[in-house]
Amino acid sequence: MQSVALAVTDGMLHFELSLACEVFGSDLSHLVDPWYRFSVCGPGPVAVDRFRLEPDEGLDALARADTVIVPGWRDVDREPPAALVEAVRAAHQAGARVASLCTGAFVLAAAGLLDGRRATTHWAHTDELARRHPDVTVDPDVLYVDNGSVLTSAGKGAAMDLCLHLVRLDHGTTVANTVARRLVVPPHREGGQAQFVRTPVPAPGNHPLAELLPWILARLDEPLTVEDLARQAGMSSRHLTRHFRTVTGTTPLQWLHTQRIRHAQELLEGTDATVDAIATTTGMGTATTLRRHFHRTVGVPPDAYRRTFRSLDRGGAGG
């Protein structure tokens, strides 16, 4: 029997904690017998949002588990408790597979488990994770990252994706899909799929692209070139590229491509426009071109992306 221990302390997010309990702590022996042996481990009674939680065992029990799950951590501006960090580190050293949900990645990073590894967390906190832990390769654009013995996820719905991924690894796709149907969530989203978030345009301000960027966004349907952008900005292509690197962190054409993909996401989420029409509106030209670039960038085809969002709207499984 695979044992799963949920590491808790004051300040954990109740949603991620609850979904881990639902997936691993429910009696699903009718699917696989035996199911997981599940326990909640903490230093004593802990406060989780407005609730009080009585753990089954102390934090030292993490070292005896096959899998340790660290839920989201609310106050990422301060360091997680040293006792929790040490217990998670000891569990990994003892051979446990350690997975974080959402901002639980800050606990794994503090324990040194993410050094030299690729990791993710909720997109709103990826910059802070990278700033505080420069030895971690933080990827803000994926749902979850599987490094074998160390796994991290983005927030909310992506935390569920990681839990189902663990079930899939342990018990196979059929069982994982059955669990997903029971929970009324999408059965499978690959970890490399992009987090469903929009990259914001840099805020208006005193930078050389302040007027150019809105001008581009109003013309995403046009076949713009670097020369077109440079001409509008009144500078050379070389200077334009240099300013784009400084302001957006990427090249003019890559930024333009990203905005077209983001606009396509918005149209897929909020309208019934056909893929052909969206391709025209976003400057991709044809549905074939849009499908190719969208799949490469987001990780799923446009039609699958739209179906996922429609199912989330109906089932309330957002994240």
Side-chain angles (χ1 to χ4, degrees):
M1 182 186 295
Q2 172 84 244
S3 61
V4 175
L6 186 65
V8 300
T9 189
D10 289 342
M12 292 294 182
L13 298 172
H14 76 276
F15 181 88
E16 287 79 0
L17 186 152
S18 298
L19 68 83
C21 291
E22 184 67 29
V23 172
F24 301 105
S26 298
D27 181 8
L28 300 182
S29 55
H30 62 287
L31 298 179
V32 176
D33 191 12
W35 188 242
Y36 295 98
R37 184 174 64 253
F38 181 75
S39 61
V40 177
C41 302
V46 298
V48 181
D49 288 337
R50 298 181 181 180
F51 306 99
R52 297 289 293 178
L53 182 65
E54 184 74 40
D56 304 305
E57 301 182 79
L59 288 173
D60 59 329
L62 296 180
R64 299 191 293 272
D66 297 310
T67 297
V68 172
I69 297 179
V70 182
W73 176 254
R74 178 172 296 284
D75 191 359
V76 297
D77 292 330
R78 62 186 180 92
E79 291 298 319
L84 175 64
V85 172
E86 179 54 39
V88 169
R89 183 187 297 117
H92 185 258
Q93 291 173 346
R97 177 178 62 181
V98 180
S100 65
L101 308 181
C102 192
T103 51
F106 282 83
V107 177
L108 271 60
L113 304 189
L114 301 183
D115 289 351
R117 288 188 166 105
R118 181 168 156 263
T120 194
T121 188
H122 191 289
W123 62 268
H125 302 291
T126 51
D127 287 347
E128 178 63 14
L129 182 64
R131 186 190 67 79
R132 283 164 54 180
H133 301 280
D135 291 334
V136 181
T137 302
V138 180
D139 189 338
D141 294 322
V142 296
L143 297 177
Y144 57 86
V145 176
D146 182 348
N147 287 303
S149 64
V150 178
L151 304 91
T152 54
S153 85
K156 306 301 181 186
M160 175 62 78
D161 291 317
L162 179 55
C163 289
L164 292 174
H165 175 66
L166 293 173
V167 173
R168 186 175 300 108
L169 291 175
D170 297 337
H171 300 298
T173 298
T174 299
V175 171
N177 287 350
T178 302
V179 174
R181 284 195 297 272
R182 174 179 173 272
L183 298 173
V184 198
V185 297
H188 186 209
R189 296 198 295 176
E190 292 285 355
Q193 182 172 327
Q195 295 188 37
F196 295 139
V197 297
R198 297 171 182 81
T199 299
V201 177
N206 186 25
H207 61 75
L209 305 181
E211 295 182 4
L212 179 63
L213 299 184
W215 183 88
I216 297 172
L217 292 177
R219 294 164 176 79
L220 292 179
D221 60 328
E222 299 179 13
L224 299 173
T225 65
V226 173
E227 289 72 24
D228 294 329
L229 305 185
R231 188 180 307 110
Q232 177 64 26
M235 62 182 70
S236 69
S237 298
R238 178 179 297 180
H239 284 154
L240 177 74
T241 299
R242 183 181 303 122
H243 287 309
F244 256 90
R245 286 285 187 189
T246 301
V247 175
T248 72
T250 188
T251 66
L253 291 184
Q254 184 57 51
W255 188 87
L256 175 60
H257 173 79
T258 298
Q259 301 313 313
R260 284 175 166 156
I261 293 296
R262 299 304 184 190
H263 188 36
Q265 287 179 294
E266 293 174 352
L267 295 173
L268 289 165
E269 294 169 30
T271 76
D272 293 319
T274 65
V275 175
D276 286 282
I278 292 174
T280 298
T281 302
T282 58
M284 291 289 185
T286 67
T288 299
T289 300
L290 173 60
R291 286 191 173 96
R292 182 174 68 252
H293 288 294
F294 193 95
H295 197 171
R296 182 181 302 159
T297 302
V298 180
V300 293
D303 297 315
Y305 183 90
R306 171 173 273 165
R307 283 196 303 272
T308 297
F309 262 91
R310 296 296 166 87
S311 67
L312 293 178
D313 287 342
R314 289 193 297 268

